[in-house]
Amino acid sequence: MRYLILADIHSNVEAFRAVLEDAEGGEGYHHLWCLGDIVGYGPDPEECVQLLRSLDPVCVAGNHDWAAVGKLDVSQFNADAAAAASWTAQQLSPESKTYLSGLPLSPQEGDFTLVHGSPRDPIWEYVISTPIARLCFAEFQTLYCLVGHSHIPHFYEHRPQTGDCFLRAMPKGEPLMLGDTRLIINPGSVGQPRDGNPAASYLIYDSEARSLRHYRALYDVKATQQKMRRHGLPYRLIERLGFGW
Ligand code: ZN
């Protein structure tokens, strides 16, 4: 079986469609796992929720999903994110809000635990340093944990003998082979990449080959930016898509 692993779609339906087409035209996939933040920031929240639901995914809740349905106070967001969250809440249908409200926090799927932030704090914590990753390895039971939230594709390796952790970049052009080493893995973001590459980021997990492959899908960034301008979304959120930060 192959699993398409996505995170942080952020209401960017152009990027989301580009990833689906890229994955279908490449290895193909049978199941979809989504690591939260379907909405927030971008111009097409309702379209993204509907498209995601049509693919019958296993999907967890992100902080932006909770903000859009009133489960989290937007005063905890920066001004741009709060403005986008308030706008997003007005665009979502009651049905989509019910779906976002009911998303689980940390389901287990085979060898994987799925969360948005971290296994310690699935909504808010960023796993963006080895000291935090080290603490997080004690907080999930499976071999591997998939996280989103930072929008940066990378992974952490755990050494059980010493408790040490190592930060690794995703291998380019070759798969990451999965073994007994416990890992925390971030596929990067579909709709708002922050690693200096504006192309949408995703992973394919092949459960027979025990491998993860990292891909980037180019999409029409300008089309997304134009829609954001039309909706009066914050300038910084529009500009950053062109740079991937
Ligand atoms: Zn996010």
Side-chain angles (χ1 to χ4, degrees):
M1 290 284 182
R2 284 183 301 281
Y3 297 76
L4 172 58
I5 302 173
L6 308 179
D8 297 282
I9 295 166
H10 281 297
S11 304
N12 187 339
V13 81
E14 269 77 26
F16 189 10
R17 286 202 197 105
V19 162
L20 297 176
E21 274 171 31
D22 199 62
E24 281 157 17
E27 291 189 77
Y29 62 94
H30 307 94
H31 299 286
L32 174 59
W33 290 347
C34 174
L35 307 173
D37 278 7
I38 305 154
V39 301
Y41 295 138
D44 291 307
E46 180 65 21
E47 288 79 355
C48 285
V49 175
Q50 286 190 15
L51 178 55
L52 184 75
R53 290 186 66 191
S54 74
L55 300 166
D56 195 23
V58 174
C59 181
V60 302
N63 52 322
H64 286 261
D65 304 319
W66 273 21
V69 298
K71 283 179 89 167
L72 186 152
D73 188 349
V74 294
S75 67
Q76 296 175 69
F77 279 18
N78 67 47
D80 287 343
S86 302
W87 180 84
T88 299
Q90 295 164 25
Q91 313 305 316
L92 289 168
S93 65
E95 201 187 0
S96 289
K97 285 189 176 176
T98 302
Y99 175 73
L100 295 177
S101 298
L103 291 173
L105 290 178
S106 55
Q108 290 183 15
E109 293 290 322
D111 286 336
F112 293 83
T113 299
L114 279 58
V115 295
H116 178 64
S118 86
R120 291 202 303 178
D121 179 351
I123 289 294
W124 269 119
E125 187 174 51
Y126 289 90
V127 187
I128 44 168
S129 70
T130 48
I132 291 174
R134 190 182 169 130
L135 295 169
C136 285
F137 273 108
E139 302 288 332
F140 63 98
Q141 311 305 319
T142 51
L143 260 177
Y144 318 114
C145 182
L146 293 165
V147 302
H149 200 32
S150 73
H151 300 204
I152 296 172
H154 65 299
F155 69 98
Y156 297 89
E157 258 180 45
H158 187 240
R159 295 282 156 80
Q161 297 86 352
T162 58
D164 287 339
C165 270
F166 296 92
L167 168 62
R168 307 278 189 219
M170 283 294 168
K172 281 203 177 92
E174 59 184 52
L176 169 63
M177 298 309 294
L178 299 172
D180 295 338
T181 305
R182 298 186 78 218
L183 305 172
I184 296 174
I185 305 147
N186 190 320
S189 168
V190 171
Q192 195 199 74
R194 294 180 189 164
D195 62 335
N197 180 349
S201 184
Y202 71 96
L203 295 175
I204 299 277
Y205 164 53
D206 185 326
S207 61
E208 268 111 67
R210 306 279 299 159
S211 67
L212 280 169
R213 274 184 191 271
H214 182 215
Y215 293 95
R216 303 302 288 242
L218 292 168
Y219 73 97
D220 191 347
V221 175
K222 287 201 162 58
T224 303
Q225 289 174 318
Q226 253 167 27
K227 285 193 214 171
M228 291 173 78
R229 264 183 225 110
R230 215 163 53 227
H231 294 310
L233 287 162
Y235 173 81
R236 250 171 50 94
L237 298 180
I238 299 168
E239 290 303 304
R240 68 188 303 171
L241 294 180
F243 300 99
W245 63 271

